[in-house]
Amino acid sequence: MKIKTSDIVISAVAPSQYPEDMLPEIAVVGRSNVGKSSTINTMLGRKKLARVSATPGKTRTINFFIINKEFYLVDLPGYGYAKVSKTEKASWGKIMETYLTNRKNLQEVILLVDIRHEPTNDDKMMYDWIKHFGFGSIVIATKSDKVSRSQLQKHLKVIRQSLQMSKEDKIVPVSSLKKQGIEDAWHHIEELFIE
Ligand code: GTP
Ligand code: MG
């Protein structure tokens, strides 16, 4: 994918704020701190477009990034952060559900999981849920710089099995730190547009 332009359009909390041009949208979901915002920045070749933090729970809104004036990458708040209050968890759930269930131009939802760990119950629930809506054909295994080359395939296999991914589904190891796997990730996203 050749990135000619990338910009943030809006940080939305309510559907009334979502972009109205109805260009295709690709959303990323995953546990807090898994690297959603970092992955988006790296995929766009930008350092600080999406806000990144070592403290989980950084992204609290739905952030729409427009690419090449053609489609959006959508950064969603992460789940599974224990220190968040019940009220906040409920509001997170509402924001996510409203977006994921009603958005007509949503083309794909990409689950991000940490390559080092077996997916959590929350990850499995999230994946089941997005599959139920017909998404989830691409999973990104983040922080691939944290496992050795010789262990990489083993980790990918554990994630595949644990999420019960089908053969056709793609899993892509990505390191935002080392800028690895970015082309592969884009390649699979581009295939979505061709089909
Ligand atoms: P929330 O917005 O809180 O849901 O988090 P997020 O999923 O957007 O994660 P974010 O991109 O903010 O990154 C969380 C932490 O992981 C930061 O400290 C990043 O520097 C680190 N991180 C992200 N990607 C990588 C990676 O590829 N390798 C390594 N080693 N660290 C990474
Ligand atoms: Mg984030």
Side-chain angles (χ1 to χ4, degrees), residues 87-99:
T87 341
E88 220 166 326
K89 273 186 190 158
S91 106
W92 175 87
K94 264 258 156 300
I95 291 177
M96 294 283 285
E97 196 177 333
T98 308
Y99 174 71

Side-chain angles (χ1 to χ4, degrees), residues 1 3 5-12 19 21 23-29 35-46 49-50 59 61-77 99 103 105-112 138 140 182 185-190 192-193:
M1 176 78 65
I3 311 294
T5 57
S6 59
D7 271 302
I8 176 125
V9 168
I10 187 147
S11 287
D21 47 21
L23 292 171
E25 288 169 4
I26 315 272
V28 299
V29 296
K36 297 177 294 300
S37 301
S38 305
T39 301
I40 288 181
N41 283 336
T42 310
M43 288 180 68
L44 298 177
R46 300 280 299 257
L49 192 62
T59 309
T61 51
I62 301 188
N63 301 310
F64 293 85
F65 300 100
I66 191 160
I67 322 303
N68 297 347
K69 302 196 172 74
E70 283 169 355
F71 68 99
Y72 289 91
L73 276 186
V74 182
D75 190 11
L76 295 163
Y99 174 71
R103 196 65 175 158
N105 50 326
L106 186 55
Q107 183 113 5
E108 181 57 289
V109 181
I110 301 178
L111 177 71
L112 270 61
I138 307 170
I140 289 181
I182 305 300
W186 273 125
H187 172 73
H188 294 309
I189 292 173
E190 278 178 303
L192 298 172
F193 290 108

Side-chain angles (χ1 to χ4, degrees), residues 4-189:
K4 289 168 265 178
T5 57
S6 59
D7 271 302
I8 176 125
V9 168
I10 187 147
S11 287
V13 284
S16 61
Q17 299 172 304
Y18 299 168
E20 285 174 355
D21 47 21
M22 290 298 170
L23 292 171
E25 288 169 4
I26 315 272
V28 299
V29 296
R31 215 158 43 76
S32 265
N33 221 37
V34 72
K36 297 177 294 300
S37 301
S38 305
T39 301
I40 288 181
N41 283 336
T42 310
M43 288 180 68
L44 298 177
R46 300 280 299 257
K47 283 208 173 88
K48 291 181 183 163
L49 192 62
R51 278 197 268 161
V52 167
S53 168
T55 323
K58 181 69 184 173
T59 309
R60 301 286 174 109
T61 51
I62 301 188
N63 301 310
F64 293 85
F65 300 100
I66 191 160
I67 322 303
N68 297 347
K69 302 196 172 74
E70 283 169 355
F71 68 99
Y72 289 91
L73 276 186
V74 182
D75 190 11
L76 295 163
Y79 50 78
Y81 179 41
K83 282 189 187 160
V84 169
S85 70
K86 265 195 185 152
T87 341
E88 220 166 326
K89 273 186 190 158
S91 106
W92 175 87
K94 264 258 156 300
I95 291 177
M96 294 283 285
E97 196 177 333
T98 308
Y99 174 71
L100 292 173
T101 57
N102 296 321
R103 196 65 175 158
K104 299 267 183 302
N105 50 326
L106 186 55
Q107 183 113 5
E108 181 57 289
V109 181
I110 301 178
L111 177 71
L112 270 61
V113 293
D114 188 319
I115 198 164
R116 293 171 290 180
H117 313 298
E118 196 175 334
T120 62
N121 284 336
D122 283 343
D123 291 330
K124 291 181 201 173
M125 265 162 46
M126 193 68 197
Y127 193 65
D128 285 349
W129 200 56
I130 61 180
K131 273 275 164 184
H132 171 80
F133 285 103
F135 305 123
S137 70
I138 307 170
V139 170
I140 289 181
T142 62
K143 311 191 184 184
S144 66
D145 53 279
K146 298 269 196 184
V147 299
S148 67
R149 242 163 224 278
S150 60
Q151 296 291 304
L152 194 89
Q153 290 306 325
K154 194 186 87 186
H155 284 262
L156 297 180
K157 198 173 163 195
V158 168
I159 295 167
R160 248 187 194 289
Q161 283 176 345
S162 165
L163 294 178
Q164 298 184 293
M165 292 174 67
S166 62
K167 271 208 189 94
E168 306 80 60
D169 297 331
K170 310 285 190 301
I171 181 160
V172 192
V174 163
S175 167
S176 297
L177 194 73
K178 297 264 173 75
K179 310 213 183 318
Q180 283 164 353
I182 305 300
E183 277 311 314
D184 277 350
W186 273 125
H187 172 73
H188 294 309
I189 292 173

